[in-house]
Amino acid sequence: MKKAMTIIIVPILFLSGLSLLLYPFVANQWNNYRQSQLISSYDTTLADIEASDGIDYQAEWDRAQAFNESLVPYILPDSFAIAEATEEDEEYLACLNLTGNEMMGYVEVPKINIKIPIFHTTSEEVLQTAAGHLQGSSLPVGGENSHAVISAHRGLPSAALFTDLDQLEEGDYFLLYILDDILCYQVDQISVVEPTETEALSVVPGEDLVTLLTCTPYGVNSHRMLVRGHRVPYEPEEVEETVPSILGAPSLRTNYLLWVMVGLAATAVFILVLYLIDRRRGKRVKAASTRVSGRDIGKMNADADGFEVMDLDSDDLDKPEDKKS
């Protein structure tokens, strides 16, 4: 009965552990697929609208620029705090929303090989699967006196997002795909601040800035990492020069497949050790059983010899009686 229970319980425990081990890898692959589908759908939808009805891109740029000019400077909120606004800003949500799903465009960081959709607001629903635009900051359309803030989570088990953002250095590039243009920004400042310290997100007169924002330290999330870039002409060759030779080589934190392989190898070693221990124990039990069996056989032989001696003695005792008769 005990052996039968072991045969049932061990596979269940193994499958449970394997499921937990595979979850981050499978979930991240699914989110990568979903993000690529959103980006592909965004590009396809814009192409379809342009082919059928046409898109006045200049009007869309002008509308977004006008919205940026209308912003009144104020202390920007922490992007991961609960929004205090009681009603939505309809004009804000209407800008850069040609596809109707509140997707503004997408951000690409070539050095860490990520391409993530950007949605309006930094609601938790958005941040679980994509990047969000911090409402109150400039819309990401460039131009003087603008400072857009793009925020995404770090360290989610189900999506990489900005997990490897700390690998960026000054001089690296990131790209914003907005409407019909690609906006290129070069990193010029990386800082770590308290969640309430938002001065670094303010507009700098005459500058065209974008900041990528996420939580730090990894797994603790007590502070905010700000990776700021200034607008530069988009030169694909220069951007490629900052990309590692092994494109998209993930860090240990986001190399989910590596952790699956390590986990499976550790499990295999554990099973092998259990097998060897069980095999050695079986040999000991067999040897002990053989010794016990040998003693039993020896005792039985000794007993048999005793009985034989007693029979011989009985015969010898009967001989005098036979002589008397």
Side-chain angles (χ1 to χ4, degrees), residues 100-276:
N101 64 349
E102 299 183 5
M103 181 174 167
M104 292 181 168
Y106 47 98
V107 56
E108 179 182 11
V109 187
K111 184 175 183 179
I112 57 177
N113 192 29
I114 61 169
K115 189 180 288 186
I116 308 173
I118 304 171
F119 287 87
H120 290 73
T121 80
T122 52
S123 66
E124 190 59 29
E125 181 180 359
V126 168
L127 295 179
Q128 284 296 318
T129 56
H133 169 258
L134 180 57
Q135 188 173 357
S137 70
S138 305
L139 291 171
V141 292
E144 291 186 357
N145 305 317
S146 67
H147 192 168
V149 181
I150 308 299
S151 178
H153 272 314
R154 186 171 183 236
L156 291 181
S158 58
L161 299 175
F162 278 177
T163 296
D164 287 340
L165 197 64
D166 60 342
Q167 295 187 31
L168 294 187
E169 301 172 329
E170 293 185 12
D172 290 333
Y173 298 90
F174 58 88
L175 311 173
L176 299 182
Y177 294 78
I178 306 294
L179 297 175
D180 61 339
D181 200 3
I182 301 175
L183 285 62
C184 182
Y185 290 83
Q186 186 173 26
V187 176
D188 58 23
Q189 179 178 295
I190 300 175
S191 56
V192 175
V193 300
E194 296 282 348
T196 55
E197 295 176 353
T198 58
E199 293 81 3
L201 302 179
S202 301
V203 170
V204 177
E207 294 289 334
D208 180 348
L209 304 173
V210 171
T211 291
L212 306 181
L213 184 154
T214 192
C215 291
T216 197
Y218 180 79
V220 179
N221 302 334
S222 59
H223 292 68
R224 301 292 178 258
M225 176 185 292
L226 310 179
V227 178
R228 193 187 77 175
H230 64 277
R231 180 84 175 273
V232 296
Y234 177 42
E235 300 291 343
E237 296 79 10
E238 292 186 11
V239 174
E240 286 297 324
E241 289 178 359
T242 65
V243 179
S245 56
I246 303 178
L247 178 61
S251 69
L252 288 177
R253 293 188 296 262
T254 55
N255 196 340
Y256 301 108
L257 182 59
L258 173 63
W259 288 114
V260 170
M261 299 300 292
V262 170
L264 291 176
T267 302
V269 171
F270 179 70
I271 292 174
L272 178 62
V273 170
L274 289 180
Y275 169 75
L276 293 176

